[in-house]
Amino acid sequence: MARKLGVGVIGCGNISAAYFRLAPLFRGIEMRACADINMKAAKARAKEFSLRAETVEDLLKADDIDIVVNLTIPAVHYEVSKAVLDAGKHVYSEKPFVLSVKEGLDLKKRAEKKGLRIGSAPDTFLGGAHQLARDLIDSGKVGRITSGTCFVMSHGMEHWHPNPDFFFQPGAGPVLDIGPYYVTNLIQLVGPVRQVAAVATTPTTERTILSKPRAGEKIPVNTPTTIHAILEFVSGAVVTLNTSWDVWVHAHQPMELYGEAGTLFVPDPNFFGGELSYTNAGKVVKKLPKWDHPFGIENEKHSHGMMANYRTAGLADMALAILEDRPHRCSMEMALHAVEVMTGILKSGETGKFVAMQTTCERPAALGVKEAKALLAKRG
């Protein structure tokens, strides 16, 4: 199948470069244009990646754009995605998809009315390590998952990000900014969540930017930065999720899942690859199953060495799903459920009460080796 869907991007900040750089790896999509409220930023990205620079209005009118990728700040995700759908185009959003269930349900209604698709990052759960974890669970190697722990803790983004302000405002914070990677991976591994509870704190109300060009500038903190949560899943599993931007160093595994037949040690869901291991009862299994997953292959340099980076895999899967008339894996339903889990955690942190989920979703289809290879473009 040679057909490709034309893709336009709204929002030309830091993350846009990864989408433009990695999109050629995949079938079914072709990056054609970009837009930003700052035309200077749009023109710079367009020049860098040989695209058209458009105003937002013109991009939404463009006949050769089928899917619009929403890379704006979280506070305007809903408004931008609504405009995309109202313009008659499919939309794929960066995380978090929206900031409330009400916003998500409105977008769902608009999409269904026009026969359009909504997708959302993160797509890191499609990585080789996390799909191997999925295979180990589905094949019964560790038995039914009964509990687990997740730790996503650091000292925030002001040390490296040139404009870290929004990370510390409502709509971000560690739960809504980094939490989507963990919550989404938990949903694909364990299933939907029944209820959540949490304690949330804001140890400091001001941060100092340490990165250039704004080093030394003070920024306010208006959202909790340390949140300890408990997630009860429909399956009966109970998982502790600790998120914080107030921790300098810790020694916890990113994710551990405890099954009736063994324990699964899952690498950081913020990345596609990583080291995965598991036990058979109390004994560590020294040899993992043969798993030549293409999205686990290291392909880019990172500050910590080589890493596997296949961002846009979720976008490509959605495009091919549209062309093939099948469900896509980074679905609106899963993204909305993850948003309710995360906003429920924050609400529980405010009220001190358990928060029951009103949404649910199916686990996305697994992306095995064969399915992952089918997403990749043939290289000459």
Side-chain angles (χ1 to χ4, degrees):
M1 180 181 60
R3 189 185 167 198
K4 294 182 179 181
L5 297 187
V7 179
V9 171
I10 298 178
C12 295
N14 273 3
I15 197 62
S16 66
Y19 278 86
F20 294 134
R21 185 177 69 252
L22 295 166
L25 292 176
F26 299 96
R27 295 173 55 232
I29 56 173
E30 182 176 81
M31 291 289 182
R32 293 176 179 165
C34 62
D36 196 287
I37 56 173
N38 178 354
M39 276 304 296
K40 185 178 179 181
K43 289 178 179 178
R45 280 286 186 248
K47 182 178 180 181
E48 183 180 0
F49 292 99
S50 300
L51 307 168
R52 299 195 317 268
E54 303 266 26
T55 65
V56 172
E57 293 75 14
D58 286 344
L59 186 143
L60 293 179
K61 293 176 183 176
D63 291 336
D64 66 337
I65 301 299
D66 302 294
I67 303 174
V68 174
V69 181
N70 181 357
L71 302 184
T72 58
I73 61 172
V76 297
H77 277 182
Y78 165 71
E79 292 295 338
V80 172
S81 291
K82 180 173 73 170
V84 173
L85 293 169
D86 289 349
K89 300 184 188 300
H90 307 287
V91 65
Y92 183 90
S93 178
E94 249 305 324
K95 51 78 187 169
F97 163 49
V98 287
L99 298 181
S100 73
V101 172
K102 181 180 179 181
E103 291 177 345
L105 292 176
D106 179 70
L107 294 182
K108 178 183 179 182
K109 182 178 178 180
R110 290 170 187 271
E112 289 177 345
K113 186 177 180 180
K114 293 196 172 188
L116 297 169
R117 298 278 189 116
I118 298 173
S120 179
D123 57 3
T124 46
F125 74 91
L126 300 175
H130 307 297
Q131 288 301 308
L132 177 54
R134 170 73 177 263
D135 187 71
L136 291 172
I137 290 173
D138 290 354
S139 64
K141 290 287 195 305
V142 294
R144 182 176 65 90
I145 301 299
T146 59
S147 62
T149 59
C150 295
F151 292 91
V152 50
M153 303 188 298
S154 70
H155 215 265
M157 277 59 167
E158 71 273 32
H159 306 279
W160 63 270
H161 199 285
N163 294 294
D165 311 59
F166 79 92
F167 288 111
F168 301 100
Q169 302 306 311
V175 166
L176 284 169
D177 184 68
I178 304 297
Y181 299 104
Y182 285 72
V183 173
T184 302
N185 204 29
L186 285 171
I187 291 171
Q188 79 106 5
L189 293 174
V190 185
V193 175
R194 176 179 285 121
Q195 63 176 348
V196 300
V199 174
T201 64
T202 308
T204 179
T205 58
E206 188 177 76
R207 299 267 177 150
T208 302
I209 299 177
L210 300 179
S211 57
K212 294 180 180 181
R214 298 170 59 196
E217 185 178 332
K218 305 287 186 181
I219 56 175
V221 178
N222 294 312
T223 192
T225 51
T226 292
I227 305 97
H228 290 198
I230 298 173
L231 286 64
E232 181 190 2
F233 289 77
V234 172
S235 67
V238 177
V239 174
T240 299
L241 171 63
N242 289 351
T243 71
S244 180
W245 285 341
D246 300 295
V247 175
W248 285 108
V249 178
H250 72 89
H252 296 288
Q253 291 276 351
M255 182 180 290
E256 297 182 4
L257 295 176
Y258 311 125
E260 292 178 325
T263 294
L264 186 60
F265 300 94
V266 183
D268 190 344
N270 196 357
F271 301 97
F272 285 82
E275 185 176 342
L276 181 139
S277 61
Y278 72 104
T279 73
N280 181 355
K283 186 176 180 180
V284 176
V285 176
K286 295 183 178 180
K287 187 175 181 180
L288 289 168
K290 184 176 175 59
W291 191 251
D292 298 321
H293 201 287
F295 298 165
I297 298 171
E298 296 176 344
N299 64 332
E300 284 200 343
K301 288 184 179 180
H302 186 262
S303 58
H304 300 295
M306 291 295 291
M307 62 177 286
N309 186 5
Y310 295 89
R311 189 181 292 273
T312 71
L315 170 64
D317 177 67
M318 187 174 91
L320 289 171
I322 292 169
L323 295 171
E324 297 167 0
D325 192 26
R326 62 168 172 82
H328 56 286
R329 291 172 173 86
C330 293
S331 69
M332 186 281 302
E333 290 79 10
M334 183 169 66
L336 183 59
H337 186 57
V339 165
E340 187 179 23
V341 171
M342 293 181 291
T343 56
I345 286 170
L346 293 173
K347 182 178 180 180
S348 178
E350 293 176 1
T351 64
K353 298 179 180 179
F354 277 85
V355 176
M357 301 295 99
Q358 303 302 311
T359 66
T360 190
C361 66
E362 298 291 329
R363 290 201 300 163
L367 187 76
V369 173
K370 181 180 178 180
E371 293 82 4
K373 288 181 178 178
L375 290 182
L376 292 172
K378 293 182 179 180
R379 313 304 291 177

